[in-house]
Amino acid sequence: MQIEGTIEEVIFRNDENGYTVAVLSHNNTPVTIVGKMIAANVGENLVLEGEFVHNKKFGYQFAFSNYEITLPQTLLGIERYLSSGLIKGVGPVTAKNIVKTFKADTFSIIEMAPERLTQVKGISKNKAFDIAAKFGELKAIQNAVMFLQEYNLTVNMALKIFDVYGSNTVEIVKKNPYKLVEDIEGIGFLTADKIAQNIGIPTDSEFRVRAGMVYSLTNSTEKNGNTFMPKHLLFSSTAEILGLNQSDYQEVFDLVLDQLVSDRTCMDFWHENIEIVMLSKYYRYEYSVAQKLCLLMNASENEKIDVQNEIQDFEFRNKVEFHIDQKKAIESAVNNGVSIITGGPGTGKTTIVKCIIDILTNQKEKVMLLAPTGRAAKRLSDSTGMEAKTIHRALEVNGDFDRGSRFVHNENNPLDVDAVIVDEVSMVDVMLMSSLLKALPRDARLVLVGDKDQLPSVGPGNVLGDILKSEIFPVTMLTKIYRQTDDSLIISNAHLINNGVMPVIDNKSKDFFFEQKEDLNDIHSSIIEMVTKRIPQYFHIDSSQIQVLAPLKAGVCGIDNLNRTLQDILNPQQKGKTELNVGTTIFREGDKIMQTSNDYNLTWQKRNGFVMEEGEGVFNGDIGEIIRIDYQTGETTVKFEDGRVCNYARTDLSEISLAYAITIHKSQGSEFDVVVIPIIAGTSMILTRNLIYTAVTRAKKMVVLVGEKKNLRRMVANAYTVKRFTMLTSLIKEQEKKIKELFN
């Protein structure tokens, strides 16, 4: 339905996302309106589209989804509009004098003959043109928002577009809506295509083909982790997305690719006898990683240090005895610019890291410990007794990103370190690795620690795998198990799984259990009962210490369905507990949530003793709890496990999800006291050995599997790994060759 009226009062306004609560005079009756608008000013005439809703706290409100601003018609309305603060330099007195002079022609005078405003006392020629310019800008913004709202774009997104294109917004979008895909973060091909179809742009236009090609590359990177695509796959993918027959439009495809290469959006070249295409920025990421790794390796001193005495001293003080492979790992880390230590759980990686820290510290080197996630950093800190930071925190997010680097620390402002040890490196994507390496001094020592058999990073690239594959850097592969008690099976079963052998599931151990269930609904019910009743009761563990890890998002045993059920039991609806509907998800105060994407602009506060720290950036995989929801504004406060507290605008809540259950991929780098895993049937491309291996190795105290043994057996036997298209291995070899030629 539609209502029309004049804004009488602005009760609340969030300038970041446009969310507004105001009082509208509708048929001389005050009506509270809630929704997003580009600006809210007393005296504005609005036509709103929406519906009346009942808010338990604030009563009936008109929630609008679209609106249109109409200039006031009455003299009093015009005066109130001009004096509302919209136009700088026009206050109540000046507004009154303008309307008194020009009456109903006021707006046309401002727009068409601004020089006549000098007839009003106190308005100079410069001020007159300033008023006209501001009035024109307001009109341009309003026209742009109204135009974009026709295509179901939010006010927030419309503002984002206007910030980039300014007064040319409507002209640019009408000419080529596909430009939005490349220029505006958050707008995908499908949105742009819908606008284009409504405008009447031909389905075979070069604009559309270009957008489809860029979308194909971006989608391949973001969803599959590839940094390039073979040209023939790119073309076939683009044709499928566009709904075109590739053979009929081959010339257009070739022409568009030439344009993308010409303007440096893409690169097109031959690699291993295949013509490939990659977005230029991913080439730069991989190139910079390869170059810096090789420079670090070749910058290390040729003279090797004998650390046998230091190792023996560490063994004596800590009552440990290193295996020969462990000693090699320590020697390699101390004597090389780059070294890699890889091994499964219980193979002594942490003890090795402690010894490396000990030796380097004794040599007066500044050592920094890093990990990709907050949980991994805390675990590293707890196990070594030394502060560990996330990579993002160490690099420090740059609030002025538009002016330069994403991070404060980069090649122009390196970290003050002599050695950096990065744990859980298997989950570091190529973008983050590039940023980290740029921030390292040329003579720094880099030690990469991780498990090569875990899932690759969620983000693009295959950094650890490609580094190992290059065979350029010293690698220690640990296979001997040290941390294992007689009645514990987590570590030994993880290694059995990794070797393709069925784990021991006789339920005789204290920490590894299997419950046979065949029907999906039975698996679901058993998991819910395990988390909410059985495990807490029998093992005296709180449900908050239990994490469900599922292979899939959808389905009966997918995380979406599991989260809904667990939320209803562990954090049910209660009087006085505020909740919000965001799409199909209900967020409630007390909910366990996870950040699902990197947000470099979100600000946080963290109390550290008597000091309040402040910073920016919340990252994919961060887990926390909703501690407050403001129903009126939708602002949601989250406290993360490391103590950071963030306020999310309602429009930003799409960045979080419920986290009673999370996907196995999202669990990388984390460790939980207890993990419960549904074992279900599914495609062999997803339900793989390294998936179940990764899930099992996330548990610290207990693993519970629920499902069919035959499906577990299939996963253990399925050694399939998705091959990612990446350039890093080749680039490392090229860089190493260049450096050798340069120095020899």
Side-chain angles (χ1 to χ4, degrees):
M1 66 177 293
Q2 277 190 351
I3 65 170
E4 184 175 355
T6 305
I7 293 180
E8 296 289 331
E9 180 187 0
V10 178
I11 298 172
F12 173 83
R13 169 81 185 157
N14 185 326
D15 290 325
E16 287 188 11
N17 58 31
Y19 186 80
T20 303
V21 181
V23 175
L24 192 80
S25 176
H26 169 59
N27 294 333
N28 294 320
T29 302
V31 175
T32 302
I33 60 171
V34 293
K36 292 179 194 170
M37 56 175 61
I38 196 165
N41 300 283
V42 172
E44 280 185 329
N45 271 36
L46 303 177
V47 177
L48 303 113
E49 199 173 285
E51 59 182 351
F52 281 99
V53 296
H54 184 260
N55 182 305
K56 292 178 184 177
K57 190 173 179 181
F58 300 102
Y60 279 98
Q61 301 173 327
F62 188 79
F64 63 91
S65 52
N66 288 307
Y67 74 100
E68 182 180 348
I69 300 173
T70 59
L71 291 173
Q73 303 297 313
T74 67
L75 297 186
L76 179 60
I78 296 171
E79 184 181 324
R80 291 182 68 190
Y81 179 82
L82 291 177
S83 64
S84 64
L86 274 171
I87 300 175
K88 187 179 179 182
V90 178
V93 175
T94 304
K96 190 178 189 70
N97 290 335
I98 292 173
V99 175
K100 187 177 179 180
T101 304
F102 300 111
K103 297 186 171 51
D105 295 329
T106 294
F107 289 134
S108 60
I109 294 294
I110 292 173
E111 191 172 9
M112 307 301 294
E115 68 278 359
R116 289 185 60 189
L117 291 174
T118 57
Q119 297 173 25
V120 178
K121 184 180 178 182
I123 297 181
S124 65
K125 190 173 182 180
N126 286 341
K127 187 173 181 178
F129 283 103
D130 285 344
I131 292 171
K134 182 60 180 175
F135 184 78
E137 183 185 330
L138 285 169
K139 196 168 182 181
I141 293 173
Q142 291 165 2
N143 288 341
V145 172
M146 296 306 117
F147 169 74
L148 294 169
Q149 278 192 340
E150 292 177 21
Y151 304 103
N152 296 320
L153 290 174
T154 64
V155 172
N156 204 25
M157 188 57 74
L159 286 169
K160 219 173 179 182
I161 295 168
F162 190 85
D163 282 345
V164 176
Y165 298 145
S167 58
N168 297 319
T169 297
V170 175
E171 180 186 348
I172 290 172
V173 175
K174 276 185 175 180
K175 181 181 178 182
N176 177 18
Y178 296 107
K179 195 167 170 34
L180 295 168
V181 179
E182 295 181 51
D183 295 345
I184 313 296
E185 187 177 346
I187 292 194
F189 172 79
L190 297 178
T191 300
D193 200 39
K194 189 175 180 181
I195 297 172
Q197 298 304 307
N198 288 335
I199 290 173
I201 291 177
T203 57
D204 61 349
S205 78
E206 289 180 19
F207 291 147
R208 186 168 187 258
V209 173
R210 178 189 174 102
M213 207 168 284
V214 171
Y215 175 77
S216 292
L217 285 166
T218 304
N219 197 47
S220 174
T221 297
E222 293 178 351
K223 290 193 174 179
N224 302 320
N226 300 318
T227 58
F228 72 80
M229 286 183 76
K231 182 179 175 181
H232 69 281
L233 290 182
L234 171 62
F235 278 10
S236 62
S237 171
T238 303
E240 185 177 349
I241 288 166
L242 300 178
L244 300 175
N245 187 320
Q246 182 184 335
S247 59
D248 293 341
Y249 296 94
Q250 192 63 53
E251 286 186 15
V252 179
F253 279 34
D254 288 330
L255 176 63
V256 167
L257 180 56
D258 287 343
Q259 291 170 351
L260 286 167
V261 172
S262 177
D263 64 26
R264 299 184 180 180
T265 301
C266 292
M267 299 181 70
D268 173 20
F269 52 91
W270 287 84
H271 170 64
E272 295 180 351
N273 300 319
I274 300 174
E275 190 173 4
I276 69 167
V277 181
M278 66 192 305
L279 291 168
S280 298
K281 62 181 178 180
Y282 288 105
Y283 180 84
R284 291 194 295 270
Y285 291 140
E286 291 196 303
Y287 182 89
S288 71
V289 170
Q291 184 183 56
K292 190 59 177 280
L293 284 173
C294 292
L295 287 172
L296 289 172
M297 188 64 194
N298 285 277
S300 59
E301 295 180 13
N302 293 324
E303 185 180 345
K304 302 299 180 184
I305 304 169
D306 186 355
V307 293
Q308 289 303 313
N309 290 335
E310 285 89 342
I311 292 174
Q312 287 177 10
D313 179 57
F314 181 88
E315 289 176 314
F316 176 76
R317 285 185 288 109
N318 291 274
K319 295 180 175 55
V320 296
E321 186 176 344
F322 286 122
H323 183 270
I324 187 171
D325 289 339
Q326 293 178 308
K327 290 180 181 179
K328 285 180 180 177
I330 296 165
E331 290 174 4
S332 178
V334 173
N335 284 305
N336 289 291
V338 178
S339 60
I340 300 99
I341 302 168
T342 180
T347 54
K349 296 191 296 293
T350 300
T351 311
I352 290 171
V353 168
K354 288 171 73 173
C355 185
I356 294 168
I357 295 169
D358 201 58
I359 293 171
L360 293 177
T361 304
N362 288 337
Q363 292 177 358
K364 308 301 181 187
E365 292 199 12
K366 294 178 183 176
V367 182
M368 180 177 281
L369 301 186
L370 300 178
T373 66
R375 275 180 172 264
K378 186 177 186 306
R379 191 171 73 248
L380 182 60
S381 182
D382 291 344
S383 61
T384 61
M386 177 179 171
E387 183 190 15
K389 298 179 180 180
T390 64
I391 298 172
H392 290 96
R393 185 182 167 204
L395 297 179
E396 298 179 51
V397 173
N398 184 0
D400 296 325
F401 170 57
D402 291 339
R403 300 179 192 174
S405 171
R406 172 72 81 184
F407 297 103
V408 170
H409 292 287
N410 49 48
E411 57 267 51
N412 299 317
N413 181 29
L415 293 163
D416 182 19
V417 292
D418 299 305
V420 170
I421 301 173
V422 185
D423 196 16
E424 293 284 1
V425 73
S426 62
M427 66 178 298
V428 179
D429 63 35
V430 70
M431 297 176 290
L432 188 56
M433 182 59 79
S434 173
S435 296
L436 172 60
L437 293 178
K438 284 179 180 178
L440 295 188
R442 286 283 295 268
D443 57 351
R445 215 179 299 279
L446 178 66
V447 182
L448 303 177
V449 183
D451 187 343
K452 68 179 180 63
D453 296 313
Q454 285 188 27
L455 293 168
S457 59
V458 174
N462 186 25
V463 174
L464 179 58
D466 287 349
I467 291 172
L468 293 172
K469 190 177 174 184
S470 73
E471 298 182 343
I472 298 295
F473 311 99
V475 178
T476 305
M477 293 195 181
L478 306 171
T479 56
K480 184 175 174 59
I481 301 173
Y482 299 93
R483 178 167 54 89
Q484 174 77 43
T485 59
D486 293 338
D487 57 350
S488 172
L489 282 179
I490 294 178
I491 292 174
S492 59
N493 271 347
H495 284 272
L496 287 173
I497 290 169
N498 198 33
N499 291 320
V501 179
M502 190 71 170
V504 177
I505 50 174
D506 57 11
N507 293 342
K508 292 180 180 178
S509 75
K510 68 172 185 179
D511 62 3
F512 205 101
F513 303 95
F514 183 89
E515 180 156 289
Q516 174 75 17
K517 295 288 180 183
E518 297 179 6
D519 182 77
L520 285 174
N521 290 310
D522 290 341
I523 295 172
H524 176 272
S525 298
S526 180
I527 287 172
I528 300 303
E529 191 177 10
M530 288 278 187
V531 175
T532 60
K533 292 181 181 178
R534 290 168 60 183
I535 296 175
Q537 287 174 3
Y538 289 119
F539 297 95
H540 307 292
I541 294 172
D542 191 84
S543 292
S544 62
Q545 297 173 269
I546 304 169
Q547 184 63 59
V548 179
L549 303 180
L552 306 171
K553 288 189 67 177
V556 175
C557 293
I559 65 166
D560 292 341
N561 192 37
L562 287 165
N563 269 319
R564 280 191 290 268
T565 311
L566 287 168
Q567 181 193 43
D568 287 342
I569 298 172
L570 297 175
N571 190 31
Q573 186 179 45
Q574 288 179 358
K575 186 178 180 181
K577 185 181 284 187
T578 310
E579 60 182 48
L580 278 178
N581 282 69
V582 180
T584 58
T585 302
I586 296 173
F587 288 117
R588 194 172 288 145
E589 288 174 343
D591 273 335
K592 182 180 182 180
I593 61 92
M594 172 182 274
Q595 176 78 14
T596 57
S597 61
N598 290 337
D599 187 331
Y600 294 91
N601 300 314
L602 195 60
T603 58
W604 53 261
Q605 289 185 320
K606 178 181 178 181
R607 183 166 293 284
N608 192 354
F610 294 105
V611 179
M612 182 66 78
E613 294 181 36
E614 293 185 345
E616 293 179 320
V618 181
F619 306 104
N620 196 349
D622 288 350
I623 292 177
E625 178 187 342
I626 294 176
I627 58 174
R628 188 185 70 86
I629 296 174
D630 186 323
Y631 188 88
Q632 182 74 355
T633 64
E635 186 174 75
T636 299
T637 305
V638 172
K639 185 174 184 178
F640 288 98
E641 290 177 328
D642 61 1
R644 288 171 301 151
V645 176
C646 299
N647 291 321
Y648 287 78
R650 185 166 189 151
T651 49
D652 295 329
L653 291 178
S654 59
E655 296 181 359
I656 65 173
S657 65
L658 294 175
Y660 301 100
I662 62 176
T663 62
I664 296 169
H665 281 85
K666 288 286 187 184
S667 74
Q668 289 172 261
S670 296
E671 189 176 62
F672 309 96
D673 285 342
V674 180
V675 299
V676 180
I677 309 163
I679 303 298
I680 58 176
T683 170
S684 60
M685 293 178 68
I686 296 175
L687 301 179
T688 61
R689 180 188 301 168
N690 65 348
L691 187 78
I692 187 64
Y693 172 72
T694 298
V696 167
T697 55
R698 298 307 90 206
K700 187 162 58 174
K701 296 179 179 177
M702 185 188 302
V703 173
V704 179
L705 309 177
V706 183
E708 288 193 79
K709 289 181 182 177
K710 66 178 182 181
N711 289 329
L712 177 61
R713 191 173 288 110
R714 285 171 184 160
M715 290 182 78
V716 173
N718 181 14
Y720 174 81
T721 55
V722 178
K723 175 177 168 50
R724 292 188 172 187
F725 295 124
T726 61
M727 282 286 294
L728 184 55
T729 299
S730 299
L731 290 170
I732 288 173
K733 290 179 177 179
E734 285 178 17
Q735 286 299 307
E736 180 66 9
K737 185 178 178 182
K738 286 181 181 178
I739 290 173
K740 292 292 185 189
E741 290 173 352
L742 189 64
F743 288 102
N744 291 335

